[in-house]
């Protein structure tokens, strides 16, 4: 229980479907890679609710150097996904 009792109510404000016991302690700051060792570098991936079904969650995978160069366009796309706008990013 401990600190988890504080996390669940806070997270449920933007992810109301979260049920007790669905979180587990872990560290953060891991950058998911989308290409394996020896494979050509893959482009990054942006996933919004249309892909995974979790309203308010935006996944950004594989953000490396090209992602940094494209950060403003990526931010516009994330904004579009968060706000549900139909305008092109």
């Amino acid at each position: 229980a401990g600190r988890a009792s504080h996390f669940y109510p806070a997270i449920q404000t933007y992810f109301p479907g979260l049920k007790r016991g669905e979180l587990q302690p872990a560290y953060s700051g891991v950058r998911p890679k989308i290409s394996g060792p020896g494979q050509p570098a893959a482009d990054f991936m942006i996933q919004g609710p249309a892909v995974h079904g979790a309203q308010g969650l935006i996944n950004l995978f594989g953000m490396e150097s090209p992602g940094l160069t494209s950060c403003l366009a990526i931010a516009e796309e994330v904004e579009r996904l968060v706000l549900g706008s139909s305008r092109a990013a």
Side-chain angles (χ1 to χ4, degrees), residues 39-67:
Q39 295 179 329
D43 206 355
F44 47 84
M45 184 183 335
I46 301 172
Q47 294 180 338
V51 174
H52 52 63
Q55 202 60 32
L57 175 65
I58 310 298
N59 289 320
L60 304 170
F61 296 118
M63 298 292 170
E64 297 186 43
S65 184

Side-chain angles (χ1 to χ4, degrees), residues 72-87:
L72 297 177
I74 292 168
E76 288 176 355
E77 176 64 6
V78 170
E79 176 186 40
R80 185 189 69 77
L81 291 169
V82 168
L83 299 177
S85 169
S86 60
R87 68 179 169 83

Side-chain angles (χ1 to χ4, degrees), residues 10-28:
I11 294 169
Q12 287 169 330
T13 63
Y14 57 88
F15 189 33
L18 181 69
K19 294 178 180 46
R20 297 275 175 175
E22 291 184 324
L23 294 179
Q24 57 185 354
Y27 57 89
S28 64

